[in-house]
Amino acid sequence: MGSQGYKSLRRLRNLEIVDLSENAFTNSIFPFLSAATSLKSLFLGNNRMVGSFPVDELKYLTNLELLDLRINRFNGSTPVQEVSALRKLNALDLSDNEFSSSTELQGICKMKNMQELDLSGNKLVGQFPLCLTSLSELRVLDLSSNQMTGNVPSALGNLQSLKYLSLVDNNFDNLSKLRVLILGSKSKSFQVESKSFWKPKFRLSHIALPSCNLEKVPHFLQYQKDLSHIDLSDNKISGIFPHWLLLITSIIFFRRTLDGYFLI
C-alpha cells in the first residue's frame, strides 16, 4: 500500500470497524492500521501474525474497544507500560495462539476496563493468573484448553460481574475432589458452556445447573457415573434427550426406587 495508502486510511475519520480476519496478513499490516485512529473494533483473527502482543504497533488506536487476534502465533509478554494506551479496550480475544506463561499476561491485568477476555487454546502453564481477579468489570473469562495446574483461586468469587467462566481442559488440582456442583443465577444472566468435550477429573454425586442458559445437556455429564441428583431446570434445553444421559438417569432411578424414593 505504501505511504499513499497510509494517508488515505487516515482520512477515513469515521471508520470504526475493520475486519481483516481469515486472510494471510503478517505483522507488516500494523503500520498501515495505526493510521486509523478512529477504530473501535479490529478483527485480525486467523492470519499469519507472530511475536509478542502487538501493543506498541496498536498504541495509536486509543479508541479501540474490541480486538480480535485469535488463531495466530502470538507469544511472549504484554508490556505493562505500553498497554495503558489501550485504555478503552474492553474485549480481547487471544485464543488459539502460543502464549505459554501466565506471567506474560501482566500487561492485560492492567486493562481495568476489560469485560471479555478469551485466552483459550494457548499453552499457558503454571498457576491460575491471580492478577486477572483484579479485573472487576470482567463478564467473560475463558482459560479453557491450556495446561494450567495448581488450585483455582477463591478470589474468583470477587468478580461480581462475571457471567461466563470456562476453565475446562486444564489440570487444576482442587477440582479433582469435587463432589457437588451447584451453579445458577436469579437474573438468568449466568451461562455454562455445554458443547465442550471436556473430560473432568472429578466424580460428582450432585449437580444442579438451574437458570444457566443451557441449550444442550452438558457433555461432561456422561463421565459422571456416581450421580445421585441432577437438576437442569429452567434452561433452554431442547431436541433429542442424549442416550448416554438416559443410562445415567436410569441408574439414578434404580437407586432411588431401592430406597423407596422416586426420581422427579
Side-chain angles (χ1 to χ4, degrees):
M1 288 179 189
S3 60
Q4 190 62 38
Y6 178 90
K7 293 177 182 178
S8 298
L9 190 59
R10 184 177 291 277
R11 286 197 291 267
L12 299 176
R13 296 180 180 179
N14 295 320
L15 186 64
E16 294 187 351
I17 301 174
V18 169
D19 190 343
L20 299 175
S21 55
E22 300 188 35
N23 282 288
F25 289 113
T26 65
N27 298 48
S28 61
I29 191 70
F30 287 121
F32 170 72
L33 292 173
S34 65
T37 55
S38 59
L39 270 186
K40 291 185 177 180
S41 299
L42 177 58
F43 299 87
L44 294 171
N46 203 0
N47 277 282
R48 297 179 181 177
M49 299 178 182
V50 299
S52 300
F53 182 80
V55 65
D56 195 50
E57 293 87 344
L58 297 171
K59 62 184 179 183
Y60 299 108
L61 304 184
T62 55
N63 292 304
L64 203 61
E65 298 176 1
L66 183 154
L67 177 60
D68 181 353
L69 297 174
R70 60 190 171 84
I71 317 178
N72 280 288
R73 296 179 61 188
F74 288 111
N75 56 59
S77 61
T78 54
V80 174
Q81 297 300 325
E82 291 86 344
V83 83
S84 60
L86 302 177
R87 60 184 181 278
K88 293 185 179 181
L89 195 66
N90 58 52
L92 176 61
D93 190 343
L94 294 175
S95 60
D96 295 298
N97 276 280
E98 297 182 357
F99 293 97
S100 59
S101 172
S102 58
T103 59
E104 297 173 351
L105 308 178
Q106 296 299 318
I108 293 175
C109 294
K110 299 297 181 180
M111 297 178 175
K112 298 304 181 182
N113 292 319
M114 188 62 63
Q115 297 180 18
E116 300 184 14
L117 178 60
D118 191 343
L119 295 165
S120 62
N122 278 278
K123 301 176 181 179
L124 294 172
V125 298
Q127 302 286 322
F128 182 99
L130 191 59
C131 69
L132 294 179
T133 62
S134 68
L135 299 176
S136 59
E137 301 297 318
L138 209 57
R139 296 188 296 109
V140 174
L141 177 60
D142 194 338
L143 295 173
S144 60
S145 300
N146 280 286
Q147 302 167 33
M148 287 182 287
T149 56
N151 293 334
V152 177
S154 59
L156 267 176
N158 297 330
L159 297 178
Q160 297 183 10
S161 296
L162 198 62
K163 295 182 178 180
Y164 177 94
L165 172 65
S166 181
L167 302 176
V168 302
D169 197 17
N170 280 283
N171 297 300
F172 292 116
D173 295 331
N174 62 339
L175 293 180
S176 61
K177 297 180 180 180
L178 192 67
R179 294 296 177 266
V180 176
L181 177 60
I182 302 174
L183 297 171
S185 171
K186 290 182 179 179
S187 64
K188 299 184 180 181
S189 60
F190 194 77
Q191 183 177 356
V192 173
E193 175 62 64
S194 59
K195 299 178 182 179
S196 171
F197 287 91
W198 170 49
K199 185 176 182 179
K201 293 182 178 181
F202 53 70
R203 298 289 294 270
L204 297 174
S205 62
H206 182 121
I207 184 166
L209 300 174
S211 305
C212 287
N213 288 301
L214 288 169
E215 296 181 355
K216 293 184 177 181
V217 176
H219 190 270
F220 75 87
L221 286 184
Q222 71 173 298
Y223 304 109
Q224 305 303 306
K225 307 299 183 182
D226 298 333
L227 282 170
S228 62
H229 181 93
I230 300 175
D231 181 357
L232 300 177
S233 62
D234 197 17
N235 280 288
K236 304 174 183 177
I237 300 172
S238 61
I240 300 174
F241 199 71
H243 69 279
W244 48 265
L245 189 57
L246 283 171
L247 176 61
I248 293 175
T249 50
S250 296
I251 294 173
I252 296 172
F253 180 80
F254 181 68
R255 286 175 180 167
R256 293 216 175 174
T257 51
L258 284 178
D259 292 331
Y261 297 98
F262 293 90
L263 180 67
I264 298 176

